[in-house]
Amino acid sequence: MRDNTPHLNPTADQTFEVVGSGPYDFGKVLARSREMQAAGDVEGACNERFQAFQRLSELIPEQEEIVLEWNHRNSRAALELIFASAVDHFLIDDFEMSAALLELLLELDPEDHLEGSELLAFDYLAMDEQESFDEVINDVSDKSAGREVLLLWSSFRRDGELPGGELQRFRTRFAPYYAEFTADEHPADARYLADIESERPSQAAEARELWLRTENLWARWPEFIAALRAAR
């Protein structure tokens, strides 16, 4: 029967709900992947998330606009799994696959509830796809410190120097982030973990979180961080 077969259920709001059980119960899959990661099975968790994405993509018809219903538990979990798998691929420097996942995510969730545009912008810059970067950067909130890092890094990749106006804005409006990105050490120690996991993390902790989320980039392109430090 149809109810036992994974499918997309249309809603009155012109969105779709992902309906399914077992491997298509994406809420359970997401929870299991988090449990695996917490237990130290990072590779298993990554595989779980990517396989979930593959199953979901088989349900999405080609050349048809499909928007998933954010307020539906299973559909939201499906979107969260795509985003998490994009992060997994980003962290192993597979920027092409990360970007492909995020492009699908933004098709399925045009409102970008998970703020995938920011990570996609980092992917595009890592691949030196400046035109694609220029298109997506406008979707990144100007309240985001990540946007400032992206604009600085984009200019540095294009021209080999940091633009003065953006640098001054980063130093003043996002001072804790500038301090973090020019620091010599970035320990993910107990003090940081307690801070970032608290109800109201400090800006310093959030700055370190951004560094740690993008640290793989700066290992590959240390000259950008060197330029930020030189401007202190």
Side-chain angles (χ1 to χ4, degrees):
M1 289 181 62
R2 183 171 175 77
D3 283 350
N4 294 329
T5 305
H7 64 278
L8 298 177
N9 184 49
T11 74
D13 296 323
Q14 296 185 313
T15 59
F16 290 83
E17 297 170 345
V18 183
V19 179
S21 57
Y24 291 87
D25 185 336
F26 293 115
K28 287 185 178 177
V29 174
L30 181 63
R32 185 165 63 246
S33 75
R34 287 171 174 166
E35 289 167 4
M36 292 169 75
Q37 183 142 348
D41 184 6
V42 176
E43 184 178 355
C46 292
N47 290 336
E48 191 85 6
R49 292 187 278 262
F50 187 63
Q51 288 162 10
F53 148 72
Q54 290 175 313
R55 290 193 296 276
L56 174 66
S57 64
E58 290 171 1
L59 294 179
I60 307 296
E62 292 184 16
Q63 298 178 335
E64 189 174 333
E65 187 175 333
I66 299 292
V67 175
L68 296 187
E69 178 53 56
W70 177 253
N71 294 315
H72 179 251
R73 170 190 167 276
N74 203 44
S75 306
R76 182 186 298 200
L79 294 169
E80 289 176 326
L81 281 161
I82 296 174
F83 180 73
S85 190
V87 172
D88 293 338
H89 285 86
F90 174 82
L91 292 174
I92 59 170
D93 294 357
D94 188 350
F95 306 117
E96 190 171 348
M97 179 56 77
S98 179
L101 285 158
L102 291 166
E103 286 165 355
L104 174 64
L105 176 68
L106 292 172
E107 287 176 16
L108 298 175
D109 178 32
E111 291 188 33
D112 195 11
H113 290 91
L114 297 168
E115 299 182 352
S117 296
E118 184 173 306
L119 184 59
L120 182 57
F122 277 112
D123 279 323
Y124 285 150
L125 277 189
M127 294 186 290
D128 205 19
E129 293 187 6
Q130 293 280 1
E131 286 185 16
S132 297
F133 170 81
D134 289 341
E135 289 175 10
V136 79
I137 190 63
N138 291 328
D139 296 326
V140 181
S141 170
D142 59 7
K143 296 177 182 177
S144 162
R147 176 185 167 90
E148 281 306 308
V149 174
L150 283 160
L151 291 171
L152 284 163
W153 189 34
S154 171
S155 293
F156 188 79
R157 292 214 72 179
R158 291 179 211 238
D159 307 322
E161 58 186 36
L162 299 172
E166 291 296 343
L167 182 60
Q168 181 63 16
R169 178 179 162 87
F170 191 44
R171 276 179 175 152
T172 54
R173 184 169 177 184
F174 300 100
Y177 291 84
Y178 182 71
E180 184 66 36
F181 272 69
T182 56
D184 295 325
E185 295 181 345
H186 315 270
D189 52 19
R191 182 178 174 184
Y192 158 72
L193 291 171
D195 192 341
I196 200 65
E197 290 169 5
S198 66
E199 258 187 55
R200 293 189 176 179
S202 67
Q203 272 203 312
E206 290 177 339
R208 182 155 305 168
E209 183 186 39
L210 179 59
W211 168 273
L212 294 171
R213 282 195 285 115
T214 56
E215 189 173 15
N216 58 309
L217 295 175
W218 320 131
R220 285 184 66 141
W221 290 283
E223 59 276 7
F224 171 62
I225 301 302
L228 284 178
R229 287 174 176 161
R232 276 186 295 198

